[in-house]
């Protein structure tokens, strides 16, 4: 099996199994199509791809109340994301998703143990009847999800990095439907109908930063896998807490524009996988988190290294903590004063008694 995997791996990678697609330099579509027979209808992928039965698979449901707040997690530094118009990007439909190739001059660092270079971004979406994000948050499945795939710079390519424990870093952005078209996504969404399966369209470079949410310092982090076969457990996941809004028209375009064979390419999301023993970290604290720490002296919330610039706000939780802290402090102080006063009165009374009865006692004696 190992050997078989070894033999078919290059083809799997070449056909663009979603998170690991290699882009234009390695095509290999024909062998790939024969071997890449997995589908989203039957997600029992472990039969042919045993790693898909592993215990650190993706996507997962993120239980925000159980996430461990780690304020040491700094905001990611994005470099080279603002692409020149002269840079041509390949948009392609590989039968499982629509994917935009990205140059490895784009990179992310900070908050990771090493530097990761960009490879591609792609989408997951639902159907007429279902939303299509892969990660769910507190059981909610959002409308769609985008993955920006990066590989560790030291492995030099996506193919080399894909099977290394620290090989990949994927950024996940969840979409919700808003009232207006999101113009930042027009570069991609306006070209979807031209993305015939197997064909490649050129898109002029644009500022990829504009595809990201604005509160980049709020994210979840966990160790997981590719969400498509062969499901390598080599991905450091970052799921941003802030969603990005696209219009219903744009979402419908995503759901209906792409074809695979004679079918509409839709519902290309994997079911959530068991968390098992993994920990999900949150880079921010909130009211719902059970692990949050009451700010020292009430006002130390904004001392975070990364988020001061972005102006983290005082949450209701912080305010309540301060009010109750203060109330409790005052009550305790008042009580202490009361106890002291009582004690003093009692001892005065005792002394008084002594004073009062001394003469009597003296008289008695
Ligand atoms: C991911 O796994 C590595 C290696 O075991 C570990 O050092 C790191 O803390 C893990 N990260 C998360 C977010 O769990
Ligand atoms: C963002 O975080 C808040 C607070 O933990 C949570 O209630 C909300 O569901 C999260 N949303 C997403 C999309 O992560
Ligand atoms: Zn994906």
């Amino acid at each position: 099996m190992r050997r078989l995997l070894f033999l078919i791996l290059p083809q799997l990678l070449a056909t663009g199994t979603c998170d690991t697609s290699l882009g234009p330099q390695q095509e290999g579509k024909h062998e790939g199509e024969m071997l890449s027979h997995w589908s989203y209808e039957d997600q029992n992928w472990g039969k042919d791809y045993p790693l898909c039965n592993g215990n650190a698979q993706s996507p997962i449901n993120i239980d925000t109340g159980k996430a461990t707040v780690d304020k040491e997690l700094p905001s990611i530094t994005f470099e080279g994301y603002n692409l020149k118009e002269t840079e041509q990007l390949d948009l392609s439909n590989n039968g499982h998703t629509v994917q935009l190739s990205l140059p490895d001059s784009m990179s992310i660092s900070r908050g990771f143990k090493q530097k990761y270079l960009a490879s591609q971004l792609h989408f997951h979406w639902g159907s007429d009847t279902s939303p299509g994000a892969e990660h769910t948050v507190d059981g909610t499945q959002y409308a769609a999800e985008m993955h920006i795939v990066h590989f560790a710079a030291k492995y030099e390519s996506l193919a080399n990095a894909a099977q290394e424990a620290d090989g990949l870093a994927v950024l996940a952005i969840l979409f919700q439907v808003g009232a207006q078209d999101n113009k930042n996504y027009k570069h991609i969404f306006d070209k979807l109908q031209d993305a015939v399966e197997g064909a490649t369209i050129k898109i002029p470079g644009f500022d990829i930063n504009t595809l990201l949410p604005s509160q980049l310092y709020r994210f979840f982090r966990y160790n997981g896998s590719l969400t498509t076969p062969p499901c390598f457990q080599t991905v450091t996941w970052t799921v941003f807490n802030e969603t990005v809004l696209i219009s219903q028209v744009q979402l419908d375009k995503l759901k209906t524009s792409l074809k695979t064979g004679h079918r509409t390419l839709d519902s290309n999301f994997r079911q959530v996988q068991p968390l098992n023993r993994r920990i999900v970290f949150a880079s921010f604290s909130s009211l719902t988190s059970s692990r949050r720490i009451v700010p020292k002296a009430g006002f130390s919330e904004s001392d975070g290294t990364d988020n001061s610039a972005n102006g983290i706000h005082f949450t209701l939780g912080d305010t309540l903590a301060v009010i109750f802290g203060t109330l409790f402090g005052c009550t305790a102080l008042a009580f202490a004063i009361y106890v002291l006063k009582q004690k003093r009165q009692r001892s005065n009374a005792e002394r008084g008694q002594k004073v009062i009865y001394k003469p009597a006692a003296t008289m008695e004696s």
Side-chain angles (χ1 to χ4, degrees):
M1 192 60 218
R2 250 195 115 89
R3 204 158 119 200
L4 178 65
L5 199 65
F6 190 73
L7 285 170
I8 65 175
L9 191 60
Q11 281 82 11
L12 287 174
L13 291 172
T15 46
T17 54
C18 184
D19 281 341
T20 51
S21 172
L22 287 178
Q25 69 274 29
Q26 286 186 32
E27 284 290 313
K29 281 256 143 62
H30 303 295
E31 299 92 335
E33 251 149 39
M34 257 165 47
L35 289 158
S36 174
H37 59 270
W38 60 272
S39 79
Y40 282 103
E41 281 91 69
D42 172 14
Q43 298 198 8
N44 191 8
W45 298 335
K47 286 180 295 178
D48 298 312
Y49 308 95
L51 295 174
C52 299
N53 288 336
N55 57 10
Q57 290 289 295
S58 294
I60 56 164
N61 172 52
I62 295 167
D63 184 337
T64 61
K66 287 190 181 148
T68 299
V69 175
D70 180 1
K71 291 207 185 161
E72 306 291 291
L73 268 178
S75 294
I76 297 165
T77 299
F78 295 83
E79 280 172 298
Y81 261 51
N82 191 356
L83 298 174
K84 292 202 180 73
E85 226 174 296
T86 49
E87 182 108 48
Q88 295 285 303
L89 309 176
D90 292 324
L91 187 74
S92 57
N93 165 356
N94 63 25
H96 298 298
T97 189
V98 61
Q99 176 174 303
L100 186 68
S101 68
L102 298 172
D104 61 12
S105 54
M106 287 172 56
S107 69
I108 50 173
S109 57
R110 198 155 170 263
F112 298 103
K113 289 194 190 93
Q114 54 190 321
K115 190 173 187 168
Y116 287 90
L117 311 183
S119 172
Q120 45 102 338
L121 63 78
H122 62 263
F123 298 84
H124 299 270
W125 59 89
S127 65
D128 285 349
T129 53
S130 167
E134 296 212 295
H135 288 91
T136 59
V137 180
D138 295 331
T140 298
Q141 185 181 22
Y142 288 85
E145 184 166 336
M146 178 173 73
H147 291 156
I148 313 182
V149 180
H150 300 73
F151 60 92
K154 67 181 176 193
Y155 298 123
E156 291 176 345
S157 74
L158 185 64
N160 290 341
Q163 289 189 83
E164 304 291 340
D166 60 348
L168 305 176
V170 182
L171 309 179
I173 287 130
L174 300 168
F175 294 101
Q176 282 185 288
V177 172
Q180 275 142 33
D181 277 353
N182 184 328
K183 62 179 184 345
N184 301 323
Y185 278 85
K186 282 185 179 233
H187 305 272
I188 300 171
F189 289 174
D190 286 355
K191 293 283 166 59
L192 291 176
Q193 68 276 9
D194 302 333
V196 177
E197 192 171 10
T200 298
I201 307 158
K202 298 283 182 196
I203 289 189
F206 61 99
D207 188 357
I208 306 294
N209 288 298
T210 63
L211 301 181
L212 305 172
S214 52
Q215 297 186 333
L216 292 170
Y217 56 91
R218 292 173 69 91
F219 59 84
F220 300 101
R221 173 69 54 77
Y222 78 99
N223 285 337
S225 75
L226 305 180
T227 65
T228 56
C231 306
F232 297 138
Q233 294 185 163
T234 58
V235 180
T236 301
W237 279 97
T238 302
V239 180
F240 290 108
N241 180 232
E242 191 190 343
T243 59
V244 165
L245 300 181
I246 57 174
S247 68
Q248 187 64 51
V249 171
Q250 288 179 309
L251 181 63
D252 289 345
K253 236 180 209 177
L254 194 55
K255 287 181 180 177
T256 59
S257 299
L258 296 141
K259 305 275 179 280
T260 172
H262 296 293
R263 292 183 22 247
T264 300
L265 171 47
D266 63 7
S267 292
N268 59 350
F269 62 92
R270 187 186 194 191
Q271 298 300 325
V272 292
Q273 304 294 305
L275 183 62
N276 298 319
R277 288 162 171 247
R278 288 176 287 176
I279 298 173
V280 177
F281 292 96
S283 67
F284 62 100
S285 58
S286 64
L287 199 56
T288 47
S289 170
S290 55
R291 317 261 180 132
R292 71 174 318 281
I293 299 153
V294 175
K296 279 183 236 116
F299 292 94
S300 63
E301 182 78 350
S302 57
D303 67 4
T305 45
D306 56 309
N307 45 28
S308 46
N310 294 313
I312 212 168
H313 305 295
F314 238 64
T315 65
L316 180 58
D318 296 323
T319 314
L320 287 177
V322 172
I323 291 171
F324 282 108
T326 312
L327 278 178
F328 178 74
C330 290
T331 312
L333 191 65
F335 183 70
I337 290 169
Y338 171 78
V339 167
L340 276 172
K341 234 172 153 176
Q342 289 288 309
K343 232 173 144 178
R344 215 163 135 185
Q345 268 172 13
R346 224 178 303 131
S347 64
N348 277 349
E350 275 164 23
R351 234 178 290 142
Q353 268 173 9
K354 275 175 206 152
V355 172
I356 292 163
Y357 292 109
K358 220 173 196 170
T362 358
M363 274 196 299
E364 266 176 22
S365 60

